Amino acid sequence: MKFKLEKTDAKSGARAGTIETAHGKIQTPIFMPVGTAGTVKAVHQRELKEDIHAQIILGNTYHLYLRPGLDIIREAGGLHKFNGWDGPILTDSGGYQVYSLGDNRKITEEGVIFQSHIDGSRHTFTPENVMDIQRTIGADIIMAFDECTPYPCDKDYAERSMHMTHRWLDRCINHFNSTTEHYGYAQTLFPIVQGSTYPDLREQSATVISEKNCEGNAIGGLSVGEPHEDMYAMTSLVCDILPRDKPRYLMGVGTPENILECIALGVDMFDCVMPTRNARNGMMFTSQGIINIRNEKWKSDYSAIDPQIGGYSSTFYSKAYLRHLILSNEILGAQIATLQNLTFYLWLVGQARNKIMEGDFASWKNKMAKTVSTKL
């Protein structure tokens, strides 16, 4: 993987760059649609590329490991061949999913023993076999195995967890370096900064991760319930430490406003289930603000959903028609809503990149952050 930093905003930490992978280039800042089980829900791969203009998508190690299973993915030739997406893919290591299992998992120094949410069967994830699993899935960017601490979190626990995550990282790196890719193209390992909302722990973790000299770095353990001010403070602190010449990925964030604020702090890559999950419930993110399409006020509004951002779904269908579909539980409603939200998210980060390159990001961000968080 290669990363070229092309422009830094003079009045903030915002950056524009290009990541080059075996499956194509990614222009940053970028939002990555979440395809947990090998698919971005309700969206064809053609729509991802031609309508949404996605440049990279996510898969999840935990879910893909359980279903369809590694044998199927291996026999298909990797996830790219299996799902038909020919662009870059990033896989989450499964650390967050294991964290979310609660009582159905046990964390030890060796790894995590957990029960499948599908059939209750017992499995073990270790730093080593998670590297093997992600090798088999075949993502371009793979994540180190870590523990995601909850919020709020006792500092002693956060510190113990952070140190274990660092020890797991060493095991991930050693095993990654001792193995080879399965499908003839290079893969890249990103370590993950942890430390909850404690500045001294975040500083320590970011320093340790920076010293590993990996090709990119991630920030985990945020967007788990903490106030936005804490998220921004921790992100700012970490971005001041992580290497300037390598991409920074803030995991699981977030709202359009969150993304704009964190771009301003120096983050390059984002993912979140919010645009797809909220779409299926009728919450639309648009260039004018947030719409609850179920509300009566949209019943006879025949204007396009969001003509400013372009894209077939945003400009062809009316708010009234989408409301009808959502209230009728029609599958097409979920499809149109999902396409709108993802098209908007990719439009937003694309606009941010343009403003960084033009040199007027900061003033644009301050206005746009207010606009996109307004409820219409």
Side-chain angles (χ1 to χ4, degrees), residues 287-300:
S287 58
Q288 304 303 310
I290 301 170
I291 293 174
N292 181 348
I293 202 68
R294 293 176 175 272
N295 286 350
E296 185 79 10
K297 66 185 295 184
W298 310 113
K299 183 177 182 178
S300 56

Side-chain angles (χ1 to χ4, degrees), residues 12 65 143 175 196 237 246 283 285 307 326 355 372:
S12 70
Y65 163 80
M143 306 305 299
H175 195 73
S196 188
L237 187 157
K246 296 178 180 180
M283 178 180 284
F285 296 102
I326 292 291
K355 296 299 181 181
V372 298

